[in-house]
């Protein structure tokens, strides 16, 4: 990935669509600026502190060619892809870069590396695709003098496909597209499509309890994991892929979402399905966000709903229409239709169905009938197919917005249907208040991204003028306000981005004191020296010995 943003290394920054500039300038009052990233040569990097003896022993485990400490490799592994990560990188702050990047080729090499690092006191940061948006791959060294990043990209094989049980076993460094390509060639799909799909990996999905865009139907990654192997400094933990078991609490749940603080996931066995014969995506409109939420609740609780279900609030609908505006006759006719039907200024819904033809037809008919009686207006397949085509394009625009001096950040949460409206209002207000108080009034947008029988997730996006010279203070104030509001209004601190470094201050309110102690005990058993990913998930754990 390019070292300061999104897209393949060497690719150029995407252009903002024509509709974006007037919106930023006139409506949001964001002054036109040009704030490009510094050149790679100008990134400030600390000298690597790995002793030559340690370097030699590490190289003996993975091979000299798989121990890298050149500028591009260190800078590319210095951060994930959160807003603060990108701000730091773009202004040339590479102070957090690892001392070296190691690329193990097998679980045996991973185990040997962890053994050595534990003995010598070297911090280890597992690295999949590096798409963490919560500071999860930041190479913090904790109490240790040196930190290495374990890049798992060489472990990229599908090691087993059990067709009869519909289980696929992967090494951790398999990327989203690679997993789907090898599965598709055998007639299967994992059905896991986070927006970071192009770069994220199987190990990263499992380590962060990731949710894909179709997880309402296919299930989140935590529902797809059956078996897993974890290489920990204390040894290997193997969770076997039983379909179900009553043998005590499931240790699988300890490994899934462990964010590299317990060890390295070296293998994951995941439930897969037959490739869908039919995909059908369509758009709907609701007069208000509240009406749309109520319709989604009814759909989900009635069973047999869509695989993809997204409801944008009024602001997000308006922004996406403005960004996509071409002024065409079809677009004008669409707007007139919404106006005539009393849906102008309303909210767009995307629903998608995947599977065998009769199943898709059945669920679609059922869903349509509920959406219609709840006040929905059918918009046909065009908006659904446009969403499907563009579903990975959003992140590419982030670099263009940063080049233009615009802060753009996202956060997510989930709660019960009963508290969803309160959470939506509370978080939105906290973001508006925090950013307005600093003189940078934002546009705050939200969509419902995943449905559950008992509730749903909310995904917020906010954009504002960057506070030049104080970008990170501005971000921290907004993030703190939103996170406090999430806790106050009954939301989880993260529905799918994970805890990483950024959410650790709020974990105690989520798990309770005893819950945190329990995780600490697990960490002490698996990683007694505390070398694994210091400062993440439970920051104080790195101080335990
Ligand atoms: C533009 C964008 C869109 C995103 N969209 C989504 C989305 O739709 N849904 C979603 O859930 N998330 C999303 N994310 C967040 C992120 O992509 C996910 O958390 C993803 O699962 C991380 O995978 P990765 O391979 O990049 O992991 P990394 O970023 O490399 O690592 C994430 C964490 O897992 C640990 N880790 C990685 N591999 C291993 C391993 N093998 N063993 C142990 N620990 C490991 C790391 O140490 C780190 O703590 C998005 C991020 C971006 C930048």
């Amino acid at each position: 990935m390019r070292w300061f943003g999104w897209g393949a290394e060497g690719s150029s920054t995407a252009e903002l669509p024509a509709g974006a500039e007037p919106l930023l300038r006139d409506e949001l009052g964001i002054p036109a600026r040009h704030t490009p990233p510094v050149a790679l040569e100008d990134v400030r990097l600390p000298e690597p502190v790995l002793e030559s003896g340690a370097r030699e022993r590490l190289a003996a485990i993975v091979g000299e060619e798989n121990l890298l400490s050149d500028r591009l490799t260190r800078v590319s592994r210095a951060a994930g892809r959160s807003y603060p990560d990108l701000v730091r990188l773009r202004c040339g702050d590479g102070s957090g870069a690892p001392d070296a990047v190691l690329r193990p080729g097998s679980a045996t090499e991973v185990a040997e590396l962890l053994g050595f690092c534990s003995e010598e006191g070297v911090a280890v940061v597992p690295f999949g695709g590096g798409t963490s948006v919560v500071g999860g791959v930041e190479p913090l060294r904790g109490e240790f003098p040196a930190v290495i990043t374990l890049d798992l990209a060489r472990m990229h094989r599908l090691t087993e496909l059990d067709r009869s049980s519909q289980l696929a076993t992967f090494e951790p460094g398999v990327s989203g597209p690679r997993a789907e390509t090898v599965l598709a060639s055998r007639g299967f799909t994992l059905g896991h499509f986070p927006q970071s799909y192009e770069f994220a990996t199987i190990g990263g999905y499992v380590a962060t309890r990731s949710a894909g865009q179709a997880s309402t139907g296919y299930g989140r990654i935590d529902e797809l994991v059956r078996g897993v192997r974890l290489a920990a400094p204390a040894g290997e933990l193997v969770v076997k892929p039983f379909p179900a078991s009553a043998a005590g609490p499931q240790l699988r749940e300890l490994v899934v979402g462990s964010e590299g603080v317990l060890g390295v996931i070296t293998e994951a066995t995941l439930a897969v399905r037959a490739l869908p014969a039919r995909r059908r995506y369509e758009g709907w409109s609701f007069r208000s966000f509240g009406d749309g939420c109520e319709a989604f609740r009814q759909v989900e609780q009635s069973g047999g709903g869509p695989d993809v279900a997204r409801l944008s609030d009024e602001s997000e609908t308006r922004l996406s229409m403005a960004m996509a505006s071409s002024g065409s006759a079809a677009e004008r006719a669409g707007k007139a239709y919404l106006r005539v039907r009393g849906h102008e200024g309303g909210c767009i819904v995307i629903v998608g169905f995947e599977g065998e033809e009769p199943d898709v037809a059945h669920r679609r008919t059922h869903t349509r009938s509920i959406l219609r009686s709840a006040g929905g207006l059918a918009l046909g397949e065009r908006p659904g197919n446009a969403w499907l085509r563009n579903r990975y394009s959003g992140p590419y625009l982030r670099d263009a917005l940063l080049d233009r001096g615009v802060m753009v950040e996202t956060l997510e949460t989930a709660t019960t249907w009963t508290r969803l409206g309160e959470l939506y209002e509370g978080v939105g207000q906290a973001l508006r208040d925090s950013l307005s108080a600093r003189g940078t009034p934002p546009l705050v947008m939200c969509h419902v991204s995943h449905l559950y029988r008992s509730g749903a997730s909310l995904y917020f996006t906010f954009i504002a003028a960057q506070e030049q010279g104080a970008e990170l203070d501005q971000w921290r104030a907004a993030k703190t306000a939103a996170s406090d509001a999430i806790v106050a209004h009954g939301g989880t601190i993260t529905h799918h981005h994970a805890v990483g470094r950024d959410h650790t201050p709020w974990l105690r309110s989520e798990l309770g004191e005893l819950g945190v102690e329990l995780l600490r005990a697990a960490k002490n058993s698996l990683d007694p020296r505390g070398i694994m990913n210091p400062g993440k998930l439970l920051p104080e754990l790195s101080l335990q010995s």
Side-chain angles (χ1 to χ4, degrees):
M1 212 191 310
R2 59 213 299 242
W3 65 267
F4 60 86
W6 200 246
E9 185 61 53
S11 61
S12 52
T13 300
E15 298 274 318
L16 285 179
E21 188 53 43
L23 191 94
L24 294 171
R25 191 188 51 229
D26 305 334
E27 204 174 317
L28 290 172
I30 302 181
R33 294 195 194 114
H34 183 49
T35 53
V38 301
L40 176 62
E41 309 77 74
D42 295 331
V43 176
R44 300 175 297 283
L45 273 183
E47 280 301 307
V49 295
L50 213 51
E51 288 170 15
S52 62
R55 210 190 134 82
E56 270 169 35
R57 287 180 60 193
L58 289 168
I61 298 172
V62 290
E64 188 64 47
E65 67 284 12
N66 292 309
L67 192 163
L68 306 168
S69 51
D70 61 281
R71 170 169 281 267
L72 178 59
T73 304
R74 286 180 70 211
V75 172
S76 312
R77 306 296 182 278
R81 285 299 171 265
S82 69
Y83 176 75
D85 286 337
L86 298 182
V87 167
R88 275 193 292 266
L89 286 177
R90 291 170 64 93
C91 69
D93 178 2
S95 58
D99 295 304
V101 175
L102 281 99
R103 293 161 37 98
S106 67
T108 311
E109 287 183 9
V110 171
E112 282 180 41
L113 285 173
L114 297 189
F116 172 80
C117 291
S118 193
E119 232 172 79
E120 298 297 318
V122 175
V124 175
V125 180
F127 189 101
T131 65
S132 168
V133 279
V134 290
V137 291
E138 200 176 329
L140 301 178
R141 52 195 76 220
E143 66 193 77
F144 305 103
V147 56
I148 59 164
T149 288
L150 276 201
D151 183 332
L152 297 154
R154 283 180 65 222
M155 297 175 69
H156 56 62
R157 290 179 314 140
L158 167 74
T159 53
E160 193 184 343
L161 177 67
D162 176 344
R163 288 173 173 275
S164 163
S165 313
Q166 299 201 326
L167 291 175
T169 301
F170 292 99
E171 289 185 320
V174 179
S175 70
R178 188 174 167 87
E180 284 300 334
T181 305
V182 290
L183 286 174
S185 69
R186 293 155 170 89
F188 289 95
T189 178
L190 178 60
H192 195 71
F193 304 106
Q195 202 187 30
S196 52
Y197 166 78
E198 292 162 281
F199 299 99
T201 61
I202 295 286
Y205 292 165
V206 176
T208 60
R209 304 184 82 88
S210 143
Q213 292 166 338
S215 289
T216 291
Y218 284 89
R220 300 159 54 94
I221 204 74
D222 33 306
E223 297 167 71
L224 302 179
V225 176
R226 289 289 168 272
V228 70
R229 280 177 182 265
L230 180 84
E236 189 182 34
L237 181 68
V238 181
V239 175
K240 296 177 182 158
F242 300 122
S245 164
Q250 291 301 294
L251 294 180
R252 179 172 58 209
E253 294 304 319
L254 190 63
V255 177
V256 179
S258 56
E259 301 191 33
V261 307
L262 302 181
V264 177
I265 294 160
T266 55
E267 189 180 280
T269 300
L270 306 170
V272 294
R273 316 184 179 186
L275 270 176
R278 179 85 167 107
R279 282 200 170 93
R280 178 135 190 172
Y281 281 73
E282 59 195 45
W284 285 73
S285 168
F286 279 85
R287 288 199 175 89
S288 73
F289 190 60
D291 285 358
C293 286
E294 174 54 20
F296 269 4
R297 183 186 69 77
Q298 290 177 25
V299 164
E300 187 60 19
Q301 291 180 346
S302 70
D307 297 301
V308 171
R310 298 166 67 88
L311 160 68
S312 295
D313 71 357
E314 291 83 350
S315 307
E316 191 173 278
T317 303
R318 199 166 60 82
L319 182 105
S320 40
M321 283 170 79
M323 295 282 260
S325 175
S326 62
S328 67
E331 186 187 322
R332 284 198 303 277
K335 283 184 178 162
Y337 177 63
L338 288 175
R339 199 165 38 246
V340 168
R341 300 297 299 265
H343 279 247
E344 195 179 27
C347 298
I348 191 154
V349 157
I350 300 295
V351 284
F353 305 87
E354 305 198 350
E356 290 301 307
E357 182 73 52
D359 169 54
V360 166
H362 173 73
R363 287 188 290 133
R364 181 170 170 257
T365 306
H366 173 69
T367 302
R368 285 173 70 86
S369 126
I370 297 178
L371 294 182
R372 190 168 282 123
S373 35
L377 178 66
L379 302 179
E381 286 190 77
R382 189 188 285 217
N385 291 335
W387 176 83
L388 198 56
R389 248 191 336 271
N390 296 320
R391 63 174 162 164
Y392 303 125
S393 58
Y396 289 89
L397 293 182
R398 197 160 57 143
D399 295 341
L401 287 165
L402 289 167
D403 277 353
R404 167 69 178 69
V406 179
M407 169 193 212
V408 51
E409 174 62 315
T410 62
L411 51 89
E412 33 70 69
T413 177
T415 193
T416 56
W417 291 112
T418 311
R419 299 196 72 176
L420 200 66
E422 170 199 341
L423 183 64
Y424 168 71
E425 295 295 341
V427 176
Q429 198 54 49
L431 286 168
R432 282 187 288 273
D433 289 349
S434 164
L435 286 157
S436 299
R438 300 181 75 95
T440 53
L443 174 66
V444 179
M445 301 167 281
C446 182
H447 65 258
V448 170
S449 63
H450 298 86
L451 309 185
Y452 304 93
R453 232 182 145 72
S454 62
S457 63
L458 294 176
Y459 187 96
F460 290 87
T461 303
F462 51 102
I463 60 181
Q466 278 187 317
E467 202 176 319
Q468 302 249 290
E471 292 89 350
L472 293 178
D473 293 341
Q474 177 195 28
W475 170 81
R476 203 166 293 108
K479 179 77 182 170
T480 301
S483 301
D484 288 347
I486 284 173
V487 172
H489 294 287
T492 171
I493 194 60
T494 171
H495 167 261
H496 59 264
H497 282 165
V499 177
R501 183 186 195 181
D502 298 345
H503 290 143
T504 48
W506 292 274
L507 196 69
R508 211 173 285 278
S509 34
E510 181 130 347
L511 299 187
E513 195 62 51
L514 196 56
V516 172
E517 284 300 320
L518 205 55
L519 277 187
R520 178 178 295 144
K523 166 92 174 166
N524 283 341
S525 296
L526 290 163
D527 176 25
R529 186 103 192 249
I531 58 160
M532 295 306 307
N533 214 1
K536 317 300 160 42
L537 185 59
L538 294 170
E540 70 273 38
L541 293 186
S542 61
L543 304 176
Q544 304 288 304
S545 59

